[in-house]
Amino acid sequence: MSDEKIPLRDRIIVALDVENHAMAKEMVKKCESHTGFFKVGLQLFMASWFETVDWIVDRGHKVMLDLKFFDIPETVKLAVEQVNSRGVTFATIHGNDPIIRAAVAARGDMKLLAVTVLTSFGEEDMRAMGMTQSVEDLVYYRAKRALELGCDGVVSSGLEAGRLRTNLGDRLLIVTPGIRPGDNVSESLDDQKRIVTAGMAIKNGANYVVVGRPITRAEDPARILEAMQQDIAVS
Ligand code: C5P
């Protein structure tokens, strides 16, 4: 396991990909016996702005605000400044060196994570976007650059986490989405392509995993959380 200091309870960040504040509150209440870390992304933020973020923070939990800021450096800096006093733990950005530098300078107490390559992208998507590098090489290049520029960590799939951990050391936070339970991890059944189990991600070097649909669409989210924590504990 990459970082023994993080308690098992905090390792799984539940992605609150739900329609509104009321549904987010309901999901937090179903999960909070097993985790105190929640991700607010584009769908929920568009619906509730900071209402859900503030509610989760006031409840004593941690928030990863996943809005993947990408714009000219000054705009990204101003956007990060809008967030940095809200009690958010992780925020996500991406971009070239000036964009990342601007975000780092404005981050305050938050930890800033650079998105490397989305876990829904495979090699064929890279070619379609005109990229010649492999996914793995591009993830590594972007992660190394982000760390050099002062980012606290990166978002990457569990497939690349090992190379990042080995080559970039323990200072880099690795947060891994694209998590699926063991029974369907061999093939992608939805839009995610670079998938691993929670246990594999942590074993490969991730500090945290982000899990959405396997938990939020389950009949009993706490039971899935428990099974994933078990998987992490034995990996
Ligand atoms: O439902 P699922 O487990 O696929 O949700 C994954 C979550 O992680 C989504 O909210 C998605 O926006 C987010 N995410 C991702 N890949 C990234 C960055 C964030 O899947 N590279």
Side-chain angles (χ1 to χ4, degrees), residues 40 43-54 65 86:
V40 175
Q43 179 193 18
L44 181 57
F45 194 77
M46 288 302 111
S48 76
W49 296 86
F50 279 105
E51 189 180 9
T52 309
V53 172
D54 293 345
L65 188 61
R86 312 292 300 219

Side-chain angles (χ1 to χ4, degrees), residues 15 17 39 66 68 115 117-120 155 177-180 190-192 210-214:
D17 294 327
K39 183 172 90 68
D66 184 24
K68 302 184 182 68
V115 177
V117 175
L118 292 175
T119 42
S120 61
V155 182
I179 301 298
R180 293 294 177 263
D190 51 42
D191 56 350
Q192 295 283 21
V210 169
V211 191
R213 287 162 287 184

Side-chain angles (χ1 to χ4, degrees), residues 1-143:
M1 205 175 276
S2 60
D3 185 350
E4 303 292 341
K5 290 189 296 292
I6 302 170
L8 190 55
R9 183 183 152 73
D10 280 351
R11 295 263 183 189
I12 301 178
I13 303 174
V14 175
L16 295 172
D17 294 327
V18 295
E19 281 169 40
N20 55 46
H21 181 57
M23 290 167 82
K25 285 201 313 189
E26 202 182 312
M27 189 54 63
V28 168
K29 287 175 187 170
K30 282 184 186 167
C31 296
E32 64 189 354
S33 54
H34 290 79
T35 182
F37 215 148
F38 298 91
K39 183 172 90 68
V40 175
L42 289 171
Q43 179 193 18
L44 181 57
F45 194 77
M46 288 302 111
S48 76
W49 296 86
F50 279 105
E51 189 180 9
T52 309
V53 172
D54 293 345
W55 182 83
I56 297 170
V57 170
D58 288 347
R59 213 170 163 82
H61 300 315
K62 292 184 191 148
V63 172
M64 172 173 169
L65 188 61
D66 184 24
L67 301 178
K68 302 184 182 68
F69 292 143
F70 177 63
D71 210 310
I72 62 169
E74 179 67 7
T75 303
V76 168
K77 179 189 130 207
L78 296 173
V80 171
E81 280 174 2
Q82 289 290 327
V83 177
N84 73 10
S85 59
R86 312 292 300 219
V88 165
T89 302
F90 294 159
T92 56
I93 51 121
H94 59 120
N96 67 352
D97 291 10
I99 296 172
I100 293 180
R101 262 192 219 103
V104 165
R107 74 179 187 261
D109 292 336
M110 293 187 302
K111 298 227 185 278
L112 214 53
L113 306 177
V115 177
T116 54
V117 175
L118 292 175
T119 42
S120 61
F121 287 177
E123 297 296 343
E124 65 289 359
D125 299 301
M126 306 291 287
R127 302 297 91 77
M129 288 185 298
M131 310 233 184
T132 51
Q133 272 172 305
S134 67
V135 170
E136 196 196 304
D137 285 347
L138 187 57
V139 168
Y140 178 69
Y141 175 78
R142 287 183 172 169

Side-chain angles (χ1 to χ4, degrees), residues 1 8 11-12 198-199 202 209 227-235:
M1 205 175 276
L8 190 55
R11 295 263 183 189
I12 301 178
I202 300 290
V209 294
M228 287 188 169
Q229 283 168 339
Q230 183 63 22
D231 180 31
I232 291 172
V234 299
S235 292

Side-chain angles (χ1 to χ4, degrees), residues 137-200:
D137 285 347
L138 187 57
V139 168
Y140 178 69
Y141 175 78
R142 287 183 172 169
K144 186 167 177 290
R145 208 71 204 111
L147 190 64
E148 285 164 2
L149 292 166
C151 264
D152 302 283
V154 293
V155 182
S156 96
S157 96
L159 299 175
E160 297 94 41
R163 179 169 170 196
L164 302 186
R165 183 60 68 215
T166 305
N167 291 286
L168 301 178
D170 286 340
R171 202 160 59 81
L172 181 79
L173 278 172
I174 302 175
V175 177
T176 294
I179 301 298
R180 293 294 177 263
D183 47 4
N184 68 3
V185 82
S186 55
E187 59 171 317
S188 174
L189 300 175
D190 51 42
D191 56 350
Q192 295 283 21
K193 291 187 184 157
R194 302 195 331 277
I195 53 179
V196 297
T197 65
M200 284 158 72

